[in-house]
Amino acid sequence: MPLPLYLLAVAVFAMGTSEFMLAGLVPDIAASLDVSVGAAGLLTSAFAVGMVVGAPLMAALARWWPARASLLGFVLAFAVAHVVGASTTSFAVLLVTRVVAALANAGFLAVALSTAATLVATDQKGRALAVLLSGTTVATIAGVPGGALLGTVLGWRATFWAVALLCLPAAIGVVMGVPARAGQTPRDAPAGSSLRSEIAQLVLPRLVLVMLLGALVNAATFATFTYLAPIVTDTAGLAELWVPVALVLFGVGSFVGVGVAGRLSDRRPGIVIAVGGPSLLLGWVAMATLAARPVAVLLLVLVQGTLSFAVGSTLIARVLYEAAGAPTMGGSYATAALNIGAAGGPVLAAATLAAGAGDLGPVWVSGLLVAAALLIALPLRRLVAPHAGQALR
């Protein structure tokens, strides 16, 4: 894989740390800003909504800009949003900074995904996606648990400052590693690739299908991951310092899952979905059933991280393939699919908490979302995961 992909992954690491870090900070933020845990958890949804809206919007605005300039601008805007967030005492202002950071993150990821697709052969989009997502998975292994530990020791604001500082090497990586002419602008795109024609790709049934399935699986992931801290401390009865351990285990699982998907999603996506999908559902049911047992919870966090990212990244790779007719906007469609799920999952999970379902309400939501995805995917499995000859369109 080309070196620029790995340098882009450094920036994805910084942004992934921010996106996931609230899983370990929700109780502290709630207490500090005098809001409920459910309300603090909605900061994750605000970030994801900004990603959903921002992905196509920022990608459309950046179509005429050089990829390197666009990526650098998005990284710097992301850093400024975290400086403001670390300094505020208002929950409303913090909420706004999460949306602004999400817009910058969405623009960066949309442009990075489209750029990555131009740096590799047409049959290696899944592997390129895996390299970029490795930044996210390393964030869950090191950045998020480190942020949770930093938040436990110095308070949640210290974590926001740390993310802002992480943006500096990310910006240097973009400047040093991304070629000036990387990616496609409308000048470079094939004839007929107008913005209107690229947006028209969204009516293609196969593209809509894989976006929907990717959103459902990611919603399941975020429904539980956002509220993992109370499950570890209150239901499993572990000390607060075990929360970073659980986050590390989830991150290790996600790294393994993305690695597996990177090897299989280009040529054998059906295997990942057919085996991983039902296993993911059984894993959520097992977690909801065995949550009072600390060893079982920690083991299942590892397993579910692996399965969630293996299945989810395979479906997002399918989005990139099905959006081949949108060379400058396809990355934004993949980003939107990821974050529609990231927005919806915590909202549904918060609703169960508000309804008095207890700490395990989010886990049952995760199971129901995966079940819905399987009910849709199984009758249409040949459209979701075509054989190798079709997959490399």
Side-chain angles (χ1 to χ4, degrees):
M1 290 287 102
L3 177 61
L5 282 178
Y6 295 95
L7 295 173
L8 288 174
V10 174
V12 174
F13 166 75
M15 295 182 174
T17 297
S18 175
E19 183 171 7
F20 287 99
M21 69 183 182
L22 292 184
L25 302 177
V26 164
D28 190 17
I29 291 174
S32 174
L33 300 181
D34 195 24
V35 297
S36 68
V37 170
L42 293 180
L43 289 168
T44 298
S45 294
F47 192 96
V49 168
M51 291 281 285
V52 172
V53 175
L57 178 60
M58 295 295 104
L61 291 175
R63 289 179 87 236
W64 292 96
W65 304 340
R68 185 166 64 186
S70 299
L71 294 169
L72 180 60
F74 290 134
V75 168
L76 295 178
F78 190 82
V80 171
H82 281 77
V83 170
V84 176
S87 305
T88 187
T89 58
S90 167
F91 181 77
V93 172
L94 181 60
L95 191 66
V96 171
T97 66
R98 295 304 287 170
V99 174
V100 172
L103 291 172
N105 190 356
F108 182 92
L109 191 55
V111 175
L113 286 170
S114 294
T115 300
T118 69
L119 297 175
V120 298
T122 56
D123 62 347
Q124 293 184 325
K125 293 178 182 178
R127 290 186 64 190
L129 174 68
V131 171
L132 286 182
L133 288 184
S134 69
T136 299
T137 58
V138 172
T140 61
I141 295 170
V144 175
L149 183 60
L150 186 63
T152 299
V153 176
L154 299 177
W156 64 270
R157 297 179 191 280
T159 304
F160 276 69
W161 283 112
V163 170
L165 291 175
L166 277 176
C167 291
L168 297 180
I172 294 171
V174 168
V175 172
M176 300 295 293
V178 179
R181 295 297 300 167
Q184 286 188 332
T185 69
R187 299 183 186 90
D188 309 312
S193 292
S194 65
L195 179 59
R196 179 176 297 180
S197 68
E198 293 198 35
I199 292 175
Q201 297 289 307
L202 289 171
V203 303
L204 297 178
R206 284 166 62 154
L207 176 57
V208 173
L209 175 61
V210 291
M211 287 180 68
L212 172 62
L213 295 175
L216 286 171
V217 170
N218 206 44
T221 303
F222 271 83
T224 294
F225 188 76
T226 300
Y227 298 101
L228 185 59
I231 295 171
V232 170
T233 57
D234 297 342
T235 304
L238 293 168
E240 189 174 344
L241 288 177
W242 279 94
V243 173
V245 175
L247 294 174
V248 168
L249 290 173
F250 186 89
V252 170
S254 68
F255 185 82
V256 173
V258 166
V260 170
R263 295 178 179 276
L264 296 176
S265 60
D266 287 317
R267 297 186 177 275
R268 296 183 178 274
I271 291 178
V272 180
I273 296 170
V275 176
S279 300
L280 182 60
L281 173 59
L282 291 175
W284 289 129
V285 173
M287 181 176 285
T289 305
L290 303 174
R293 302 182 181 182
V295 174
V297 166
L298 295 176
L299 177 61
L300 285 167
V301 165
L302 173 66
V303 171
Q304 293 304 91
T306 302
L307 293 171
S308 293
F309 274 75
V311 176
S313 63
T314 296
L315 290 168
I316 297 305
R318 293 304 311 154
V319 173
L320 292 177
Y321 277 110
E322 298 299 340
T328 67
M329 294 294 291
S332 71
Y333 301 157
T335 304
L338 279 169
N339 287 283
I340 287 172
V347 169
L348 294 174
T352 67
L353 294 175
D359 292 336
L360 296 181
V363 184
W364 288 113
V365 167
S366 296
L368 289 173
L369 288 168
V370 173
L374 291 174
L375 289 174
I376 296 169
L378 290 179
L380 302 171
R381 58 189 179 277
R382 292 189 178 181
L383 294 178
V384 176
H387 60 72
Q390 292 175 299
L392 306 180
R393 305 185 331 159

